[in-house]
């Protein structure tokens, strides 16, 4: 089972809560909404991660990247 990542989208930033249930770990992260920061977020993703995205108007931009 991969990590579960909850993403809260804001106009200028993304807040993510990354939970690794088997390891019993959780962390929070904030990323700006710019190409460099989004690439940094993407580089941390693992193939078996599951991401839940807040349903908002800019969710399509975030979702369509992957």
């Amino acid at each position: 089972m991969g990590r579960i990542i909850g993403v809260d989208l804001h106009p200028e930033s993304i807040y993510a809560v990354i939970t690794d249930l088997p390891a019993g770990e959780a962390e929070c992260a904030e990323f700006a909404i710019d190409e460099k920061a989004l690439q940094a977020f993407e580089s941390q993703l693992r193939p078996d991660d599951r991401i839940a995205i807040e349903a908002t108007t800019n969710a399509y931009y975030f979702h369509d990247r992957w």
Side-chain angles (χ1 to χ4, degrees):
M1 173 188 247
R3 300 175 304 170
I4 300 169
I5 303 170
V7 177
D8 185 20
L9 301 170
H10 293 264
E12 297 181 11
S13 61
I14 296 168
Y15 294 92
V17 176
I18 303 165
T19 57
D20 187 335
L21 297 178
E25 300 174 354
E27 66 177 286
C28 296
E30 180 180 1
F31 299 89
I33 296 184
D34 63 41
E35 193 60 32
K36 185 176 179 180
L38 291 172
Q39 287 175 354
F41 175 77
E42 182 178 15
S43 72
Q44 296 180 25
L45 296 177
R46 301 175 188 167
D48 58 347
D49 284 345
R50 301 289 186 257
I51 301 175
I53 305 170
E54 174 189 19
T56 185
T57 56
N58 59 349
Y60 294 106
Y61 171 77
F62 184 83
H63 175 271
D64 291 345
R65 291 182 60 88
W66 296 282

